[in-house]
Amino acid sequence: MNWRSEAGRFFAFANRNVLMASRNVFFVFELAFWPTVGVLSIGLMTRFLELTPEMTAFLLVGTMALSTVQVCQLDVSYAVLFDVWSKSVKHQFLAPVGIRHLAFGSWVVGVARGLTVFSLQALLSWWAFGFDFFEAGILRLGAFLLGCFLTSGIVGLLVCALVVLFGTRAEVSAWATVNLVMVFCGIYYPVSILPDPVSTLAGAFPLTYFLDAFRSHYGFTAEFRYPLLTGFVLSALYLGLAHWALAAAVTRCRRTGLLLKLSE
Amino acid sequence: MPAVEVRDLHKTFRSGWFPRRVTHALRGVSLSIPRGVIFGLLGPNGAGKTTLLSILGTLLLPDSGQATILGHDVVREARAIRPRLNMASGNSNFIWSLRAPEILAFYGRLYGLYGKALSRKVDELVALCELEAYRKVPYHELSTGLKQRLALAKALVNDPELLFLDEPTLGLDPDISVRMRAQIGALRRERGTTILLTTHYMREAEELCDEIAFIKNGEIPARGTADALKRQIRIGDVIALRLDPASGEGLAELPGVLRCVAQDGRVECTVDSADKRLSQILSWLHEQGVVVRDVDVHEPDLEEVFVELAK
């Protein structure tokens, strides 16, 4: 295998996402408008409710996780959605590319856009509400962000699989899935307050552990033992499963003929 | 080794739940296409042309049967095939806001090109398909003709050994169609590319294809060169005669004459081969003392073959 050809395939998807992002005003909303609205509205709510700095940190960490994961997973989903919207799916799957190329190439752009969103929100939180995201330390923050980005990759791949399986009917999942995941992960509350079966289910989501680990640096007792380790192990497992799910969806799509219908 | 070898290929599509609709798109198609030819696949709408092309292009999995491309099985060895083939269709689409060189570079990278080789290939294809003046125009602002040319350029990005063209001149103006056909002919001539072409246009098939297969209801009832197809379905040539006296009585009994019809003062005889029968008919008429005032020989074109086969 020629590594430059291989790198070129990753770059193809990354470059395409960058070009698309640079030519669509909607992407500015994704990158700046909604994250700003998120931080300001949640931050102002903490003021109104006169919450302690710890509780403010709890909620702002959740807001930041939601925005970062959403923006990053959208980029992964775009790897298939752009082709579905432009009815050019067959060209992509006619070419000698694998799931890894489209997933990783677009994920890298998602990480870059996620870091931009995070920087914007961190700056706003510090300026408007005196909350310092870097207080936990660079390494812990880095581990938390990596956890968010891995979660994005998993959700993005699953969205791609749904779109390939069900066509444009499933495109709404690109925006809905991440919000559903966030409900289970305890974005604005500890998962221990969830009803029993749901609370157990929350333990199956890696982001639950990354949020738990990061919040423990802001005065909250960790609810899980070894949250970071558990989060990364689960992420690796789910990434493998999501990759397999998308590959299986593409194979099914080749069998049913949906791959052609998505190109008509 | 042939470029394409297909044996007893079946494909069924299922849709809906209640009632479950089943469409048999291919019913035991067998085909062999040698390297370096332009092979035409003709047939009415829904005959199975695109389905067959998609299976060969590894975009669709067959239910049963076997297909090999350049010696590789399309199901088990799809990865080995994909770098060596490409496809363009008359209704191709690409991402709306990307420009022609960006689209070509994207697919070039997917086919493993990088660096200067990629830039050279993009420039070469932009020039070949006369897209120079439209380098900065987003895809959605291109005309239909330019979009088709871009689709052909994209299909050449990996210098494919095997090229599938699915109705490449669909909806194009006649002058652009002529140029597109010239480019397709040049591909085979200059690069030795094997081309499998589906089309509705008989003239296109007759002009470009070395061999043609007619597909109908998922089966191939006839194949061969355009001339062989005409002979195979026995439409026959027509010899139209203006005679004095006008009656052509007895002509229908001559060997090789399939039927004779007298109308508007002319006698039209359908014969198996005008080359063989014309002199016989003229001799016989001479012997009978009939004066031949005018003779017109008409060979059937592929369109008539198509109509006959599609019945």
Side-chain angles (χ1 to χ4, degrees):
Chain A
M1 187 191 297
N2 181 336
W3 72 267
R4 290 191 69 182
S5 292
E6 190 70 359
R9 291 186 176 103
F10 291 119
F11 179 71
F13 287 98
N15 186 51
R16 185 176 71 167
N17 278 26
V18 170
L19 288 172
M20 292 299 286
S22 66
R23 287 174 194 168
N24 193 338
V25 72
F26 181 69
F27 285 77
V28 178
F29 275 76
E30 273 178 13
L31 212 58
F33 183 76
W34 296 122
T36 304
V37 168
V39 165
L40 288 181
S41 57
I42 296 295
L44 289 170
M45 186 182 73
T46 62
R47 288 282 169 86
F48 171 66
L49 296 174
E50 297 177 352
L51 298 181
T52 60
E54 289 77 21
M55 291 301 279
T56 301
F58 191 98
L59 292 178
L60 286 176
V61 166
T63 306
M64 198 276 286
L66 174 65
S67 302
T68 309
V69 171
Q70 191 148 40
V71 163
C72 183
Q73 74 86 23
L74 270 176
D75 259 296
V76 179
S77 308
Y78 287 149
V80 167
L81 279 174
F82 282 150
D83 288 292
V84 169
W85 289 334
S86 62
K87 299 182 178 181
S88 61
V89 181
K90 67 178 177 188
H91 297 301
Q92 182 165 308
F93 290 105
L94 181 73
V97 288
I99 304 296
R100 65 186 182 283
H101 300 116
L102 67 94
F104 186 72
S106 44
W107 181 76
V108 168
V109 179
V111 168
R113 296 210 310 140
L115 285 173
T116 309
V117 165
F118 165 76
S119 305
L120 178 71
Q121 291 194 320
L123 193 68
L124 265 176
S125 304
W126 169 76
W127 173 72
F129 309 109
F131 174 68
D132 183 7
F133 269 105
F134 294 90
E135 193 182 302
I138 288 286
L139 277 180
R140 285 165 183 154
L141 178 62
F144 173 61
L145 286 173
L146 180 62
C148 288
F149 294 137
L150 289 174
T151 303
S152 309
I154 296 162
V155 176
L157 279 173
L158 289 174
V159 168
C160 288
L162 286 173
V163 171
V164 168
L165 273 181
F166 302 109
T168 47
R169 286 172 292 173
E171 68 182 40
V172 70
S173 65
W175 289 269
T177 311
V178 73
N179 288 292
L180 188 67
V181 167
M182 289 298 189
V183 169
F184 289 109
C185 296
I187 176 176
Y188 294 131
Y189 40 81
V191 290
S192 54
I193 71 158
L194 291 168
D196 217 12
V198 184
S199 171
T200 310
L201 187 63
F205 291 89
L207 190 63
T208 304
Y209 299 94
F210 296 124
L211 281 166
D212 189 53
F214 194 59
R215 281 166 172 163
S216 70
H217 304 304
Y218 289 92
F220 292 88
T221 312
E223 294 189 43
F224 302 97
R225 291 181 72 188
Y226 313 115
L228 275 182
L229 179 69
T230 314
F232 284 121
V233 169
L234 278 179
S235 295
L237 176 71
Y238 290 152
L239 272 175
L241 284 173
H243 183 284
W244 171 84
L246 180 53
V250 171
T251 302
R252 188 176 188 280
C253 197
R254 286 189 202 276
R255 192 164 48 243
T256 60
L258 186 63
L259 200 62
L260 300 179
K261 284 192 186 146
L262 289 174
S263 305
E264 288 169 355
Chain B
M1 183 201 308
V4 177
E5 185 81 58
V6 176
R7 258 187 254 133
D8 198 25
L9 210 59
H10 288 261
K11 181 67 192 175
T12 305
F13 293 111
R14 289 170 175 80
S15 59
W17 291 103
F18 190 78
R20 190 90 164 135
R21 287 187 301 278
V22 177
T23 310
H24 296 284
L26 296 180
R27 303 162 189 255
V29 167
S30 296
L31 199 62
S32 179
I33 302 175
R35 287 181 188 235
V37 302
I38 300 183
F39 192 93
L41 203 53
L42 300 187
N45 288 332
K49 302 186 295 289
T50 303
T51 301
L52 178 57
L53 221 61
S54 301
I55 289 174
L56 298 177
T58 75
L59 290 171
L60 201 56
L61 294 171
D63 294 343
S64 63
Q66 199 190 17
T68 56
I69 297 284
L70 304 164
H72 296 284
D73 187 279
V74 292
V75 178
R76 286 180 284 109
E77 300 170 295
R79 282 182 191 188
I81 296 170
R82 287 188 192 125
R84 300 171 68 184
L85 62 82
N86 214 321
M87 181 186 276
S89 54
N91 58 358
S92 277
N93 288 299
F94 296 108
I95 290 181
W96 59 95
S97 65
L98 296 187
R99 295 154 189 165
E102 292 165 351
I103 289 169
L104 294 174
F106 172 71
Y107 288 104
R109 288 189 182 103
L110 298 194
Y111 281 93
L113 295 176
Y114 56 86
K116 286 180 181 164
L118 177 67
S119 309
R120 268 199 307 273
K121 177 55 77 179
V122 169
D123 290 342
E124 176 199 319
L125 292 174
V126 165
L128 179 75
C129 295
E130 298 172 50
L131 294 163
E132 291 281 12
Y134 308 95
R135 277 180 167 267
K136 304 272 181 199
V137 182
Y139 180 75
H140 69 94
E141 288 180 21
L142 295 176
S143 66
T144 308
L146 291 169
K147 284 177 178 172
Q148 314 264 101
R149 267 143 66 179
L150 178 58
L152 184 64
K154 174 257 153 192
L156 301 176
V157 80
N158 57 328
D159 290 322
E161 291 167 61
L162 182 58
L163 180 61
F164 297 133
L165 298 175
D166 193 6
E167 313 216 10
T169 57
L170 187 73
L172 290 184
D173 290 337
D175 59 328
I176 302 172
S177 296
V178 167
R179 280 156 67 190
M180 184 74 97
R181 283 201 288 273
Q183 277 183 347
I184 294 167
L187 279 175
R188 191 271 303 268
R189 214 169 35 249
E190 291 162 18
R191 304 184 187 205
T193 312
T194 307
I195 298 171
L196 178 51
L197 172 97
T198 74
T199 182
H200 268 108
Y201 304 124
M202 301 305 116
R203 202 174 144 200
E204 187 166 281
E206 207 158 7
E207 183 184 326
L208 285 174
C209 299
D210 301 296
E211 203 176 340
I212 294 163
F214 187 85
I215 186 165
K216 180 187 169 190
N217 295 332
E219 293 172 327
I220 296 183
R223 66 165 290 186
T225 61
D227 287 341
L229 272 179
K230 288 174 202 167
R231 283 197 300 275
Q232 194 177 329
I233 62 155
R234 302 173 68 86
I235 288 179
D237 300 333
V238 175
I239 300 173
L241 304 152
R242 193 174 295 280
L243 306 175
D244 188 8
S247 166
E249 210 171 311
L251 275 173
E253 313 304 321
L254 293 177
V257 178
L258 305 174
R259 57 187 173 271
C260 271
V261 180
Q263 57 180 21
D264 305 330
R266 283 158 62 97
V267 178
E268 287 193 353
C269 295
T270 306
V271 297
D272 55 359
S273 164
D275 290 347
K276 276 200 295 191
R277 306 300 174 192
L278 182 60
S279 58
Q280 286 178 15
I281 288 173
L282 293 176
S283 303
W284 185 82
L285 288 168
H286 182 70
E287 285 165 16
Q288 303 299 312
V290 178
V291 179
V292 179
R293 303 276 180 209
D294 187 29
V295 181
D296 184 27
V297 177
H298 163 68
E299 291 183 357
D301 59 20
L302 201 54
E303 200 143 54
E304 289 170 89
V305 176
F306 183 96
V307 171
E308 192 66 24
L309 284 168
K311 277 178 188 169

